[in-house]
Amino acid sequence: EAGVAQSPRYKIIEKRQSVAFWCNPISGHATLYWYQQILGQGPKLLIQFQNNGVVDDSQLPKDRFSAERLKGVDSTLKIQPAKLEDSAVYLCASSLYRAGGSNEQFFGPGTRLTVL
Amino acid sequence: SQKIEQNSEALNIQEGKTATLTCNYTNYSPAYLQWYRQDPGRGPVFLLLIRENEKEKRKERLKVTFDTTLKQSLFHITASQPADSATYLCALEDSSASKIIFGSGTRLSIRP
């Protein structure tokens, strides 16, 4: 079975520019997550989708970050405008949905963003 | 605020020994706790999930314990091998399988 796909794998931009990341989850996975992982730290959840609805976006900096999953399948995460502190790896993960339960998450390879 | 602490320093273990990693948390009442492995330049890979009402879970050479009184999980790798060298992350979820929080990870090195 194909894994979680992400693109691009690497991106270098200057501060105040905009950037977008794309994620295609494993087929049939209703739950999709976007994480930010700064070097030396664990992943920090930015947003969690259940199909095309948002479950949790409490840690998403909404003044500059936005995410959508319009058809409940693939998703895009956008940063506009970028700041130096946004330099990190952006990970996408997906999981099956099971009411009242937790499921293992399958992670993509990530997009490494460098903001200059 | 909610906090997860994992072994802050890297762990160096002789091949064949048991590696034990800790995950402590405060200001959180998780319903689920997961352990992941992450290799450099890659996304985390799921290893084990344990529920709040479970004390212990095993999978091959891996064992996880979950003590909600101590607010701690222990992750054991028995008969460790150099291929087990990686960063290990613990993650907590609430009862609705949301509000996920990851620890910063422990880097484990197994020397031959």
Side-chain angles (χ1 to χ4, degrees):
Chain A
E1 125 188 307
V4 176
Q6 289 189 248
S7 67
R9 290 296 314 277
Y10 305 92
K11 190 74 177 179
I12 301 174
I13 61 173
E14 296 194 349
K15 61 183 179 184
R16 292 188 289 273
Q17 285 188 321
S18 301
V19 65
F21 312 126
W22 175 81
C23 172
N24 194 28
I26 292 173
S27 178
H29 281 194
T31 308
L32 186 147
Y33 314 79
W34 282 103
Y35 291 90
Q36 179 193 60
Q37 187 172 27
I38 293 172
L39 188 65
Q41 298 182 18
K44 171 187 166 184
L45 179 67
L46 294 175
I47 189 166
Q48 177 181 347
F49 290 98
Q50 185 66 39
N51 296 307
N52 60 352
V54 175
V55 174
D56 180 11
D57 64 355
S58 56
Q59 298 194 94
L60 185 74
K62 298 180 184 65
D63 58 334
R64 298 185 300 108
F65 286 64
S66 64
E68 60 183 15
R69 193 184 184 200
L70 294 175
K71 297 182 180 178
V73 180
D74 59 346
S75 175
T76 55
L77 175 70
K78 296 179 182 177
I79 307 175
Q80 180 179 14
K83 293 185 175 181
L84 297 177
E85 58 261 36
D86 298 332
S87 295
V89 175
Y90 290 85
L91 294 163
C92 179
S94 69
S95 69
L96 287 168
Y97 172 72
R98 186 174 64 203
S102 177
N103 289 284
E104 63 178 285
Q105 296 179 42
F106 294 82
F107 283 82
T111 296
R112 182 176 296 278
L113 174 67
T114 302
V115 182
L116 303 176
Chain B
S1 62
Q2 300 158 346
K3 194 173 180 182
I4 301 180
E5 289 185 353
Q6 296 189 245
N7 305 64
S8 57
E9 312 230 343
L11 204 58
N12 294 295
I13 302 292
Q14 179 74 42
E15 181 177 9
K17 301 291 186 184
T18 296
T20 298
L21 285 64
T22 62
C23 175
N24 296 296
Y25 59 92
T26 56
N27 298 322
Y28 200 100
S29 296
Y32 309 98
L33 191 148
Q34 300 187 29
W35 282 89
Y36 288 79
R37 168 185 173 141
Q38 187 171 27
D39 291 285
R42 294 177 176 266
V45 174
F46 172 81
L47 296 174
L48 281 168
L49 179 152
I50 188 166
R51 293 171 174 77
E52 60 178 335
N53 60 352
E54 297 176 316
K55 297 296 183 186
E56 184 180 296
K57 206 84 170 279
R58 291 175 184 261
K59 179 183 176 183
E60 298 171 354
R61 295 184 296 113
L62 309 180
K63 185 179 86 171
V64 172
T65 62
F66 192 9
D67 189 327
T68 55
T69 301
L70 292 179
K71 295 186 182 296
Q72 179 182 78
S73 174
L74 298 179
F75 177 80
H76 306 272
I77 306 175
T78 58
S80 59
Q81 305 165 1
D84 295 326
S85 298
T87 295
Y88 291 84
L89 301 159
C90 69
L92 308 180
E93 289 178 284
D94 67 7
S95 57
S96 63
S98 63
K99 305 296 182 191
I100 300 155
I101 304 175
F102 273 84
S104 57
T106 297
R107 192 166 70 243
L108 176 66
S109 295
I110 309 297
R111 58 182 185 274

